[in-house]
Amino acid sequence: MAIQYNMDPFAALKIIYQGATDGFAAEDFVINERERGITLPMVLKRFLLDYGYMTVNRISDSVRWLHPNIMSERVFRYGSNDELPLVLIGRLQDYQVAISDTSADNPTIFLLKTAPNETQILPSDDTLIEIFKVQICSVLMNYEGSVTADEPELAARLLRENMVNLDLIANNPKLRREYSLNFSEEMRTFVVAEYIEGELSRFFFIRNEQFLSGVNS
């Protein structure tokens, strides 16, 4: 039996969708880069090329990445009237999501909220990959029988049943919020640990017989 700890989001998506993909066309990224100067980090391009049209980018009303045709680049006044070029790439709840360093492997995001006569710009410690994990959780929690364990006794019992070792689940205490994706291959169960301000908050347990069906892990 194998437990996959602290999974890369793309490894989790491969299991969830049994290897299926349905994303934006590669030429759309090429055209927008050539004609509009919209360049994107490779990790975001990979996500959208594989999963742009799938439920992970559609199921949640609170998180969604845009098609590159709709993305835009704008320059904002930020801090002491410095110019801050941002690429607007999606939405997170009531905020627009933007990135500044498009050459970074996994850039942090900015949150923008438009108010009368001004745009409020909030830096965030969330990265693109952390937001992918939020989207994955939205997909998983829509499976029938998913369980939220925010009581220690219930969490401990379910961890034992799925043979998951809490000591092997890692988190970055510097992040305001983090999700660790873990998968029990024998039990076909995702175990998601949620950390808030570096403290363990709760677990999500999602079991489905289709997980790993026909997919090499």
Side-chain angles (χ1 to χ4, degrees):
M1 183 204 71
I3 305 292
Q4 298 186 45
Y5 289 97
N6 311 305
M7 298 178 69
D8 173 273
F10 294 100
L13 287 167
K14 182 179 179 181
I15 293 172
I16 292 169
Y17 290 124
Q18 303 176 70
T21 59
D22 184 13
F24 303 151
E27 54 264 32
D28 290 334
F29 294 91
V30 174
I31 291 171
N32 278 283
E33 183 171 350
R34 181 179 66 240
E35 298 183 359
R36 301 174 59 227
I38 302 296
T39 61
L40 301 176
M42 185 55 65
V43 69
L44 181 58
K45 289 175 65 174
R46 179 185 176 188
F47 182 92
L48 294 177
L49 284 167
D50 285 347
Y51 303 108
Y53 288 121
M54 300 191 78
T55 51
V56 69
N57 198 40
R58 297 292 187 228
I59 199 171
S60 173
D61 292 331
S62 62
V63 183
R64 183 169 297 183
W65 306 113
L66 300 173
H67 189 282
N69 290 349
I70 307 174
M71 294 179 183
S72 60
E73 186 175 30
R74 292 175 57 189
V75 177
F76 295 88
R77 291 290 182 182
Y78 183 68
S80 57
N81 291 324
D82 292 332
E83 291 188 344
L84 177 65
L86 293 174
V87 179
L88 305 177
I89 59 173
R91 297 201 65 85
L92 176 57
Q93 297 178 345
D94 295 330
Y95 294 90
Q96 290 179 291
V97 179
I99 52 175
S100 176
D101 186 0
T102 58
S103 64
D105 292 335
N106 180 33
T108 55
I109 64 171
F110 290 83
L111 301 176
L112 285 68
K113 193 165 190 178
T114 302
N117 302 319
E118 68 174 349
T119 299
Q120 185 180 17
I121 303 176
L122 304 174
S124 171
D125 63 4
D126 280 327
T127 65
L128 291 177
I129 286 178
E130 288 306 315
I131 302 300
F132 295 164
K133 293 178 184 178
V134 173
Q135 294 175 277
I136 290 171
C137 287
S138 295
V139 173
L140 291 174
M141 294 307 293
N142 272 272
Y143 277 93
E144 183 178 356
S146 63
V147 174
T148 299
D150 49 15
E151 297 180 356
E153 295 80 5
L154 176 60
R157 177 173 65 81
L158 292 174
L159 287 171
R160 286 195 303 271
E161 290 178 0
N162 290 283
M163 302 177 207
V164 174
N165 184 346
L166 179 58
D167 292 335
L168 298 180
I169 299 177
N171 77 299
N172 184 348
K174 295 180 180 179
L175 297 180
R176 177 184 58 84
R177 174 192 58 185
E178 185 179 16
Y179 294 96
S180 173
L181 305 174
N182 309 276
F183 185 69
S184 170
E185 294 181 0
E186 180 173 316
M187 304 304 294
R188 295 185 178 178
T189 299
F190 276 97
V191 179
V192 182
E194 180 186 61
Y195 292 86
I196 304 294
E197 304 290 351
E199 297 292 330
L200 183 60
S201 174
R202 57 182 174 172
F203 289 93
F204 306 106
F205 295 84
I206 308 93
R207 183 176 187 272
N208 194 288
E209 289 297 328
Q210 79 174 26
F211 292 156
L212 279 184
S213 175
V215 177
N216 294 323
S217 59

